[in-house]
């Protein structure tokens, strides 16, 4: 790792009890670790120096929940955000199909993303999609990635049975790698990934956990060799690849390349229930618009416990997707019985009585606060009377639960400052904050965004972000705006990966 002397910075405390210098100091990073903090540190021979001019430094930020292939591909996909009905989505698809016809590019497909069919008054049909696409394969991925709307040409191409409705949950997850293989190769090259990582470094991000479906460990080794070695990446695995990871002897935290601590084995990812938008999140109470349904689990208790036991025996942590309150309760019970450790991913709807167990077991609540902005109205419609315990981050902290913030990109932008602003403000577009009693302070949200690094001090990682403003004195709007040029320097292990001009 390169060494670096960071001059004239102000260290931002990440807790009220943090003991940080009050004034401007220097920070020396040696062999990837902060070795000294103090005034006017001497510069060792051969060490690069950067004068921050009195700006503020925080530990580098992490996104604890991403789908990096989906995020990398977003620029090449048809944008369906904001469509309020199947008709509006079909109009955009029809325009894209006409454009492909005019360009005369046979073999092209339409892959769209961003719509939220859970907010529509009905779902679209395959026949409707066929009517505007003809023989051009079309795949419209719902914003939450829990279902997709495919036309007949796409269903045939990926060997799915013909039908009129959408492809949901497990059937969709199993089909998606084939979709990517057939239709999205140009947007997933190492060069495309590197461009994405460069943009991400400019946000002050130093690391991410990649929960992409269908990605194998070898895929990231290959990208790393072709220039994607900028940030820290933890690569998750799924149940269908678990035996492969175990056969390699990879435990959570192990390097995937010998001697490379930036690319490591992540957790086993289990999707234990569905989503709010598809009404498949497993809840204790019925959905208001479907009183016969409480959602459903994706595994039986025996299957869930078996996966956790297998992961624990192999030295793997477990990241359990659980959006509904029943799913959260059952996942925590499984962690307790099996002794496995890891996280609850999303923890969107919780019961307060479950949180002391989450704290006692040391299970992390991995929360994506920007979903508050997108799911607010839908939650009020389908989970009425339960809104006060959605994204219950204040309860979590009060009960001693560790929180890690993320984006679930591309469901929300890979932007930690949007996540922090959403956790603090819980609103957008001038609306009143949504259940502000569950809001975090800026200091708490920052502390939940730095992968457990308590501060910038001797012994901490040399993963740093230098900011143009003091985040603890910033408004919610100013916090969100940091993503637009407010990060002047990002380092990973002392290596500069972003420097503003």
């Amino acid at each position: 790792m390169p060494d670096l002397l960071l001059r004239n910075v102000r260290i931002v405390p990440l807790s009220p009890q943090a003991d940080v210098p009050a004034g401007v100091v220097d920070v020396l990073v040696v062999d990837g670790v902060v070795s000294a903090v103090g005034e006017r540190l001497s510069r060792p021979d051969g060490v690069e120096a950067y004068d921050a001019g009195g700006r503020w430094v925080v530990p580098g930020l992490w996104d604890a929940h991403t789908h990096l292939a989906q995020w990398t591909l977003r620029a090449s996909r048809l944008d369906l955000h904001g469509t309020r009905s199947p008709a509006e989505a079909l109009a955009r698809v029809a325009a894209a199909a006409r454009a492909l016809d005019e360009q005369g590019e046979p073999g092209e497909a339409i892959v769209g993303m961003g719509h939220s069919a859970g907010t529509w008054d009905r779902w679209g049909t395959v026949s409707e999609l066929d009517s505007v696409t003809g023989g051009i394969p079309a795949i419209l991925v719902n914003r939450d990635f829990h279902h997709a709307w495919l036309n007949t040409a796409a269903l045939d191409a990926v060997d799915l049975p013909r039908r009129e409705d959408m492809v949901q949950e497990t059937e969709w997850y199993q089909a998606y790698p084939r979709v990517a293989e057939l239709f999205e190769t140009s947007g997933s090259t190492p060069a495309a990934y590197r461009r994405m990582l460069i943009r991400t470094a400019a946000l002050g991000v130093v690391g991410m956990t990649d929960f992409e479906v269908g990605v194998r460990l070898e895929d990231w080794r290959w990208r790393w060799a072709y220039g994607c070695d900028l940030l820290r990446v933890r690569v998750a695995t799924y149940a269908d690849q678990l035996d492969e990871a175990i056969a390699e002897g990879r435990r959570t935290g192990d390097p995937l390349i010998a001697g490379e601590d930036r690319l490591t084995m992540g957790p086993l990812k289990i999707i234990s229930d569905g989503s709010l938008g598809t009404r498949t999140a497993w809840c204790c109470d019925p959905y208001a618009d479907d009183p016969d349904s409480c959602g459903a689990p994706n595994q039986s208790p025996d299957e869930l416990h078996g996966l956790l036991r297998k992961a624990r025996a192999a030295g793997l942590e477990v990241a359990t997707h659980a959006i509904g309150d029943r799913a959260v309760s059952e996942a925590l019970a499984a962690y307790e019985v099996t002794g496995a450790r890891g996280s609850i991913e999303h923890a969107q709807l919780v019961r307060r009585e479950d949180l002391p167990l989450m704290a006692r077991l040391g299970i992390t609540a991995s929360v994506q606060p920007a979903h508050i902005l997108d799911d607010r109205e839908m939650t009020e419609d389908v989970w009425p009377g339960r809104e006060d315990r959605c994204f219950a981050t204040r309860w979590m902290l009060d009960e001693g639960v560790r929180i890690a913030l993320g984006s679930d990109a591309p469901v929300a932008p890979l932007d930690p400052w949007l996540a922090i602003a959403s956790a603090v403000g819980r609103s957008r577009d001038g609306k009143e904050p949504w259940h502000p009693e569950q809001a975090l302070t800026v200091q708490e949200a920052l502390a939940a965004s730095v992968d457990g690094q308590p501060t910038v001090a001797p012994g901490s990682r040399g993963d740093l972000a230098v900011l143009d403003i003091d985040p603890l004195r910033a408004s919610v709007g100013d916090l969100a705006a940091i993503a637009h040029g407010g990060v002047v320097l990002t380092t990973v292990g002392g290596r500069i990966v972003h420097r503003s001009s």
Side-chain angles (χ1 to χ4, degrees):
M1 288 287 184
D3 300 336
L4 175 69
L5 179 60
L6 194 58
R7 291 203 180 278
N8 298 314
V9 292
R10 303 176 190 274
I11 296 176
V12 177
L14 298 190
S15 76
Q17 297 78 34
D19 183 17
V20 302
V24 173
V25 294
D26 297 344
V27 175
L28 179 63
V29 179
V30 176
D31 293 331
V33 177
V34 175
S35 65
V37 173
E39 296 181 9
R40 302 182 184 87
L41 296 178
S42 61
R43 177 182 176 182
D45 292 341
V47 172
E48 181 177 2
Y50 177 89
D51 192 332
R55 294 181 175 91
W56 292 263
V57 65
V58 296
L61 303 179
W62 275 72
D63 191 313
H65 191 122
T66 63
H67 300 269
L68 291 178
Q70 303 293 315
W71 182 239
T72 302
L73 287 162
R74 75 199 187 284
S76 62
R77 287 177 166 173
L78 175 64
D79 186 5
L80 298 174
H81 283 89
T83 52
R84 295 168 294 181
S85 67
E88 290 189 5
L90 288 166
R92 294 193 195 181
V93 173
R98 287 193 298 271
L100 283 179
D101 282 339
E102 292 168 1
Q103 293 164 10
E105 298 185 11
E108 289 293 320
I110 298 168
V111 182
M113 189 173 185
H115 64 289
S116 182
T119 64
W120 297 348
D121 60 358
R122 66 175 182 85
W123 285 13
T125 66
V126 171
S127 296
E128 289 176 304
L129 194 52
D130 286 345
S131 71
V132 299
T133 56
I136 300 172
I139 305 99
L140 311 184
V141 185
N142 197 68
R143 181 176 63 84
D144 62 12
F145 200 73
H146 280 255
H147 67 258
W149 185 7
L150 278 67
N151 69 355
T152 300
L155 290 169
D156 290 346
V158 298
D159 298 322
L160 286 172
R162 293 188 177 188
R163 86 275 311 276
E164 272 299 299
D165 55 355
M166 298 191 184
V167 184
Q168 297 188 63
E169 300 297 339
T170 301
E171 186 182 25
W172 166 239
Y173 305 141
Q174 292 173 344
Y176 175 71
R178 181 67 172 152
V179 169
E181 177 187 350
L182 288 174
F183 304 126
E184 299 195 290
T185 55
S186 63
S188 57
T189 62
Y193 268 81
R194 183 174 173 83
R195 288 192 295 271
M196 176 272 294
L197 292 168
I198 289 170
R199 292 192 298 269
T200 303
L203 302 174
V205 173
V206 298
M208 300 161 287
T209 301
D210 185 12
F211 286 113
E212 188 59 64
V213 174
V215 171
R216 298 191 179 279
L217 304 181
E218 190 57 38
D219 295 335
W220 264 108
R221 295 190 187 100
W222 174 67
R223 292 176 192 133
W224 210 257
Y226 282 89
C228 295
D229 57 340
L230 271 73
L231 308 181
R232 299 186 189 273
V233 180
R234 294 173 183 149
V235 186
T237 192
Y238 283 77
D240 62 340
Q241 300 166 14
L242 179 56
D243 288 342
E244 180 181 332
I246 291 174
E248 282 200 20
R250 301 295 177 182
R251 304 167 68 91
T252 296
D254 284 352
L256 297 184
I257 299 173
E260 178 54 87
D261 68 353
R262 293 171 298 161
L263 182 66
T264 57
M265 185 71 209
L268 167 67
K269 172 72 178 295
I270 298 173
I271 304 177
S272 78
D273 73 339
S275 70
L276 171 66
T278 55
R279 313 298 193 266
T280 50
W282 192 23
C283 303
C284 297
D285 303 294
Y287 286 83
D289 57 353
D290 189 359
D292 294 326
S293 174
C294 294
N298 287 331
Q299 302 90 20
S300 70
D302 286 347
E303 289 170 334
L304 181 61
H305 289 196
L307 285 169
L308 265 66
R309 287 193 180 96
K310 190 172 183 178
R312 184 193 179 203
L316 293 171
E317 294 183 358
V318 181
T320 305
H321 165 119
I323 285 182
D325 51 358
R326 179 72 183 275
V328 173
S329 297
E330 294 293 333
L332 291 174
Y335 280 117
E336 184 174 34
V337 168
T338 64
R341 292 294 177 263
S343 62
I344 297 291
E345 299 297 320
H346 308 302
Q348 188 163 341
L349 178 67
V350 300
R351 302 185 305 168
R352 186 159 194 171
E353 55 264 37
D354 285 331
L355 297 179
L357 176 60
M358 189 184 296
R360 179 167 63 81
L361 295 176
I363 302 301
T364 298
S366 175
V367 181
Q368 298 78 51
H371 293 352
I372 296 170
L373 313 179
D374 296 317
D375 288 352
R376 175 175 180 166
E377 285 77 15
M378 187 167 27
T379 299
E380 292 172 346
D381 289 340
V382 302
W383 286 343
R386 290 172 264 182
E387 309 97 316
D388 62 324
R389 50 193 182 93
C390 289
F391 303 98
T393 49
R394 173 53 51 200
W395 284 0
M396 292 173 185
L397 280 190
D398 287 349
E399 296 292 349
V401 174
R402 177 181 179 267
I403 298 175
L405 300 188
S407 64
D408 201 13
V411 180
L414 201 169
D415 177 355
W417 300 107
L418 175 62
I420 290 168
S422 301
V424 174
R426 296 179 70 97
S427 183
R428 70 176 172 194
D429 300 331
K431 294 180 180 177
E432 288 296 313
W434 196 54
H435 290 283
E437 72 277 5
Q438 294 288 4
L440 300 181
T441 67
V442 177
Q443 198 171 49
E444 290 166 340
L446 266 172
S449 303
V450 294
D451 193 48
Q453 295 294 291
T455 187
V456 176
S460 64
R461 290 196 296 255
D463 303 349
L464 308 170
V466 178
L467 312 177
D468 243 346
I469 66 171
D470 180 353
L472 300 188
R473 297 179 181 272
S475 67
V476 170
D478 288 340
L479 285 170
I482 291 176
H484 306 288
V487 179
V488 299
L489 188 80
T490 308
T491 72
V492 176
R495 174 191 181 191
I496 296 176
V497 294
H498 164 72
R499 188 198 315 244
S500 64
S501 55

